[in-house]
Amino acid sequence: MALLQIAEPGQSAAPHEHKLAIGIDLGTTNSLVATVQSGEARTLTDVSGAAMLPSVVRYQADNVTVGEQAAQAATQDPANTLISVKRFLGKTQTEIQQSYGQLPYDFCEHDGALAITTAAGNISPITASSDILKALKQRAEESFAGQDILGAVITVPAYFDDAQRQSTKDAAELAGINVLRLLNEPTAAAVAYGLDSGQEGIIAVYDLGGGTFDISILRLNQGVFEVLATGGDSSLGGDDFDSLLVDHFKRKTGVMNLSPSVLRLFINKAKACKEALSQYAKVNVGLEFDDEKYMVEVTREKFDELAMTLVKKTLRSCRRAVKDAGIENDEVLQVVMVGGSTRMPIVRSQVAEFFNKEPLTSIDPDRVVALGAALQADVLVGNKPDSDMLLLDVLPLSLGLETMGGLVEKIIPRNTTIPVARAQEFTTFKDGQTAMSLHVLQGERELVDDCRSLAKFSLKGIPAMAAGAAHIRVTFKVDADGLLSVSAMEKSTGVQADIQVKPSFGLSDDQVANMLKESMTNAKDDMQARMLKEQQVEALRVIEALEASLATDSQLLDEAELSNLKAEIAALAVIRESAVEPSDIKAAIEKVDNASSVFAERRMDASIKKALQGQSVDNV
Amino acid sequence: MAVTLTDAAANRVESFLANRGKGLGLRVGIKTTGCSGLAYVLEFVDDLSEGDEVFESQGVKVIVDAKSLVYIDGTELDYTKEGLNEGFKFINPNQADECGCGESFTV
């Protein structure tokens, strides 16, 4: 027996199963990947320890670089370095030109879709996004040392339309990532703070990133987040606060016309100054260039004064979003802060004043979306059946399928969080079987008669094959609304059949409790019954297989042998019907096995002989 | 009958529980899955559920749900090293057979 390790409650891995799932924050400026390990979400870093991957891809004739390295090349190679391609997803060229004006890219049509001509050919925004996703996936794979990644939850802005969402999914597919679900960024942030299991009500998510500002008003209702309104400014972010400081430096130094390299220096110093002011009340900035030295003192008050216009601008968007949502400011239960720029004290205090509520800031605002996505991914792959995660419902009872002998094979165990999809392979019982009847059941008991029948359907058109040779994949899917759909597909031909069962399956809490209690009290009998049925099925399989081969090859046995074997088969058929102990049937099967061993040997010899007939030794 | 731990297993469980900082004890159970029908479950326990039976072995609480108990009654849990690998081993008198990879079993 394999050696086992102790798992966290409800997280035992099923045999041959390693459930690794990741959450990806595919951002306009930066992207992150996170996962849940030992019950805790954490972001994954690259070799240098950086969690954030700049969403920049550079295409050279024979090389694709992603991240920091690509970002550094942006100024020297603007046409081949794609920055913030997320803005272009699902858009046409006209739309992009209207929204963003002049860009350093050479847009073109490629296969009827928008693309950008680069040194590496025509690159669509989807391809560029998939290259970013690939880099994140690779980072995750390296962190997990070769374990399979089951899937990913990828976040998208709440305002993304269907085309933009589909493009995101396409990019993931291109990167070889199985998308468990797309999750709205504000929802992911709320999940990271555990608000999904908290009080129902309105949640505002204030997301001020590097280059964009988004405000989302969500309503948590029965474990589901509904987006009431979104708003924001696609060209307002941390960079704008930096340029305010740059202007301030210019005024203080009197140097108004900056060369590109000095401008770069000013921007970097401004960024550092802004970050330092989140911690200190006063910062001295040293500016050294062209053999000149300047020292500029910036107090937090001065900075706040400069920043106020921009912060007010975000609050105007907030006011509009609140109005669009048809609510009042004081109805907002929680305010979640997302994006690095929300570290600025002026932003925090103004937002707190606006909503009259202290915003949530305890989780790193750069990572909060990725962490929420990772938590969601962890639930979706079923690592957390024991749900403290109220976002999604759990199945009250196991769902399964009837197998030979009236047994129930459970496909989705009870307490699994929904939505969920599980698949299992089944096969045919008889030679030449061309149809299969599928009986969907609900309950904890082992026998069909003790479980609740939900639906029956059949799969027809299975090609005739030997028993056990067909591969029939049965998939159970329960969506977020509790709607169960079951589909069966024969893998070689692709023939398919499916059925849907209505939500909640109409059981009251008492009925569920009763069914659970019965499965406990009857555990022993059920096990006995299950083993008996299993042996009966096995006996039937042996009898049928032998009868089929006797029908063609009985001449291999002499009369005494034949009658002896037939007698044993007949005896097994009787015991199969009458026995109450599974071990009796097992013994009878063994007797038949022994009695048929000579027959099996001769059949083997005969078929080898047949195969070798007319072949020379050299050919064998 | 009950489910018991060897000294080695009990020491391990105690130190794991201490490291974890919380937990009532160790859940031992089965679930119907895998290539030969059943697989063992080994988890920490934070809350007891209805139908749980609690045994005490070597000072460690062993929790088994009523449904699993019939399959693993009389089991002794050991902690062993096999080559480079170490972990818990089920010595289950009810077990009749196991799959080739050793991750699931039948009674």
Side-chain angles (χ1 to χ4, degrees):
Chain A
M1 199 76 203
L3 299 179
L4 295 166
Q5 305 300 329
I6 309 178
E8 284 297 311
Q11 296 192 12
S12 288
H16 318 291
E17 186 176 38
H18 299 283
K19 291 177 182 165
L20 271 178
I22 51 175
I24 293 177
D25 174 4
L26 183 61
T28 311
T29 327
N30 290 299
S31 297
L32 293 97
V33 57
T35 191
V36 174
Q37 278 178 336
S38 319
E40 203 177 320
R42 62 180 188 88
T43 46
L44 302 173
T45 56
D46 63 8
V47 277
S48 65
M52 288 206 273
L53 179 80
S55 303
V56 182
V57 197
R58 182 184 184 199
Y59 290 94
Q60 289 161 283
D62 51 357
N63 198 16
V64 178
T65 41
V66 181
E68 196 51 54
Q69 227 184 321
Q72 279 167 8
T75 36
Q76 70 193 63
D77 188 15
N80 293 319
T81 309
L82 310 189
I83 300 175
S84 307
V85 281
K86 184 175 168 182
R87 296 176 296 172
F88 309 150
L89 279 177
K91 295 271 167 111
T92 63
Q93 193 173 340
T94 352
E95 282 172 329
I96 291 172
Q97 266 154 5
Q98 271 169 8
S99 314
Y100 304 108
Q102 206 54 46
L103 287 161
Y105 307 124
D106 181 10
F107 288 102
C108 63
E109 288 268 318
H110 184 68
D111 290 344
L114 174 86
I116 297 163
T117 307
T118 70
N122 292 335
I123 303 295
S124 72
I126 294 176
T127 311
S129 298
S130 89
D131 281 320
I132 298 169
L133 289 170
K134 263 184 215 160
L136 295 171
K137 183 184 172 217
Q138 195 189 349
R139 182 188 290 185
E141 279 168 349
E142 280 163 11
S143 319
F144 298 144
Q147 283 193 68
D148 274 352
I149 295 166
L150 227 66
V153 168
I154 300 177
T155 60
V156 291
Y159 57 76
F160 254 30
D161 63 22
D162 281 347
Q164 291 167 304
R165 282 167 201 264
Q166 191 53 50
S167 300
T168 308
K169 273 193 175 172
D170 292 347
E173 199 172 303
L174 208 57
I177 296 172
N178 169 30
V179 182
L180 298 166
R181 182 187 265 198
L182 295 181
L183 188 63
N184 286 331
E185 285 161 10
T187 308
V191 167
Y193 274 105
L195 299 183
D196 45 318
S197 54
Q199 202 186 335
E200 293 196 341
I202 311 278
I203 292 159
V205 181
Y206 181 100
D207 182 350
L208 187 57
T212 54
F213 168 66
D214 294 307
I215 173 77
S216 313
I217 310 290
L218 311 176
R219 188 209 305 274
L220 174 64
N221 186 17
Q222 296 186 331
V224 175
F225 285 102
E226 179 194 354
V227 179
L228 295 181
T230 61
D233 190 331
S234 57
S235 50
L236 171 61
D239 301 345
D240 298 292
F241 289 84
D242 297 344
S243 54
L244 285 174
L245 276 176
V246 169
D247 290 343
H248 181 64
F249 294 162
K250 281 190 195 168
R251 283 194 299 273
K252 286 286 169 188
T253 57
V255 186
M256 297 312 275
N257 290 323
L258 305 178
S259 66
S261 66
V262 178
L263 178 63
R264 194 73 245 160
L265 171 86
F266 270 41
I267 291 173
N268 288 343
K269 288 285 183 182
K271 205 178 173 78
C273 172
K274 176 188 74 178
E275 285 168 13
L277 280 170
S278 293
Q279 285 188 45
Y280 305 104
K282 193 169 82 177
V283 173
N284 286 313
V285 183
L287 295 163
E288 267 187 67
F289 57 94
D290 301 341
D291 302 324
E292 303 232 31
K293 267 190 193 177
Y294 298 91
M295 188 61 88
V296 181
E297 185 192 272
V298 187
T299 61
R300 189 182 289 169
E301 279 161 6
K302 181 69 204 170
F303 177 70
D304 288 355
E305 187 193 312
L306 293 170
M308 198 48 118
T309 41
L310 291 181
V311 179
K312 287 282 183 214
K313 211 170 156 190
T314 67
L315 295 182
R316 275 200 293 281
S317 298
C318 292
R319 189 166 299 121
R320 211 169 306 129
V322 166
K323 197 162 155 255
D324 288 349
I327 55 158
E328 298 293 329
N329 275 11
D330 53 11
E331 282 179 66
V332 174
L333 212 60
Q334 296 279 12
V335 182
V336 178
M337 297 296 247
V338 181
S341 304
T342 61
R343 289 199 185 89
M344 285 184 269
I346 175 75
V347 172
R348 290 186 179 183
S349 62
Q350 287 296 308
V351 171
E353 198 177 303
F354 179 80
F355 286 106
N356 198 16
K357 194 155 277 107
E358 207 48 50
L360 296 170
T361 54
S362 61
I363 302 178
D364 182 341
D366 283 323
R367 305 179 186 204
V368 62
V369 168
L371 295 175
L375 287 169
Q376 187 70 47
D378 193 46
V379 170
L380 288 178
V381 291
N383 279 340
K384 230 175 186 177
D386 211 356
S387 187
D388 37 283
M389 203 131 195
L390 209 117
L391 177 59
L392 307 152
D393 226 349
V394 296
L395 281 180
L397 292 165
S398 303
L399 295 170
L401 207 60
E402 175 172 353
T403 58
M404 276 305 290
L407 296 172
V408 181
E409 178 77 19
K410 297 190 183 80
I411 311 283
I412 310 183
R414 68 181 283 262
N415 272 344
T416 302
T417 40
I418 54 173
V420 63
R422 296 274 166 89
Q424 199 159 321
E425 263 183 35
F426 291 89
T427 188
T428 46
F429 186 78
K430 287 199 180 194
D431 287 342
Q433 182 177 339
T434 57
M436 184 182 256
S437 165
L438 295 116
H439 187 188
V440 183
L441 295 137
Q442 179 185 37
E444 303 312 305
R445 305 284 295 274
E446 303 295 334
L447 301 186
V448 169
D449 295 344
D450 299 321
C451 286
R452 188 160 174 267
S453 169
L454 292 178
K456 276 184 188 168
F457 69 109
S458 49
L459 176 68
K460 297 196 180 83
I462 304 170
M465 283 185 245
H471 292 279
I472 291 146
R473 192 170 178 80
V474 178
T475 310
F476 274 54
K477 266 190 220 161
V478 184
D479 70 12
D481 303 321
L483 187 77
L484 167 69
S485 55
V486 180
S487 64
M489 187 188 69
E490 199 284 312
K491 283 174 105 174
S492 67
T493 54
V495 288
Q496 204 164 348
D498 51 60
I499 198 163
Q500 294 216 329
V501 186
K502 286 281 165 262
S504 84
F505 323 127
L507 281 183
S508 72
D509 288 355
D510 283 352
Q511 283 171 305
V512 171
N514 242 341
M515 288 176 88
L516 284 179
K517 219 166 112 194
E518 274 175 16
S519 81
M520 301 274 192
T521 45
N522 294 310
K524 190 146 203 164
D525 294 343
D526 277 4
M527 177 180 72
Q528 183 76 12
R530 183 180 182 112
M531 289 196 301
L532 187 64
K533 292 271 187 181
E534 278 177 352
Q535 290 302 334
Q536 286 173 349
V537 171
E538 177 64 13
L540 188 62
R541 192 189 63 74
V542 168
I543 293 170
E544 295 212 340
L546 271 175
E547 278 174 349
S549 43
L550 277 176
T552 53
D553 293 330
S554 62
Q555 76 283 356
L556 293 171
L557 295 174
D558 65 34
E559 226 157 88
E561 286 167 335
L562 188 61
S563 67
N564 177 33
L565 181 56
K566 280 190 169 166
E568 290 292 357
I569 293 173
L572 175 61
V574 173
I575 290 170
R576 180 183 168 269
E577 296 284 339
S578 64
V580 282
E581 284 297 325
S583 54
D584 293 346
I585 303 182
K586 204 170 178 181
I589 293 175
E590 264 167 36
K591 273 172 88 178
V592 172
D593 266 349
N594 290 336
S596 64
S597 62
V598 177
F599 179 51
E601 266 169 38
R602 284 187 203 156
R603 283 192 80 206
M604 183 75 87
D605 287 350
S607 65
I608 290 174
K609 213 182 258 169
K610 202 171 153 198
L612 294 184
Q613 217 155 39
Q615 307 264 352
S616 81
V617 177
D618 295 341
N619 287 339
V620 177
Chain B
M1 290 292 274
V3 174
T4 54
L5 304 180
T6 62
D7 280 343
N11 285 338
R12 281 291 166 165
V13 176
E14 272 179 353
S15 69
F16 283 141
L17 278 171
N19 281 339
R20 189 166 172 266
K22 60 169 182 177
L24 301 171
L26 180 69
R27 176 176 301 284
V28 180
I30 57 101
K31 53 181 171 185
T32 45
T33 175
C35 28
S36 355
L38 299 171
Y40 291 115
V41 168
L42 204 56
E43 291 174 357
F44 294 112
V45 180
D46 287 327
D47 300 297
L48 288 182
S49 313
E50 207 178 324
D52 276 346
E53 294 220 28
V54 183
F55 303 106
E56 181 129 0
S57 173
Q58 316 274 5
V60 175
K61 283 202 172 64
V62 180
I63 291 110
V64 185
D65 68 272
K67 208 177 164 191
S68 295
L69 189 60
V70 292
Y71 297 85
I72 58 172
D73 205 5
T75 292
E76 187 181 48
L77 198 59
D78 193 12
Y79 192 87
T80 57
K81 279 186 189 168
E82 286 179 4
L84 294 173
N85 203 358
E86 56 183 308
F88 291 91
K89 192 180 183 119
F90 280 78
I91 304 161
N92 182 358
N94 304 297
Q95 180 177 327
D97 212 347
E98 64 184 50
C99 78
C101 53
E103 290 197 8
S104 60
F105 68 101
T106 48
V107 292

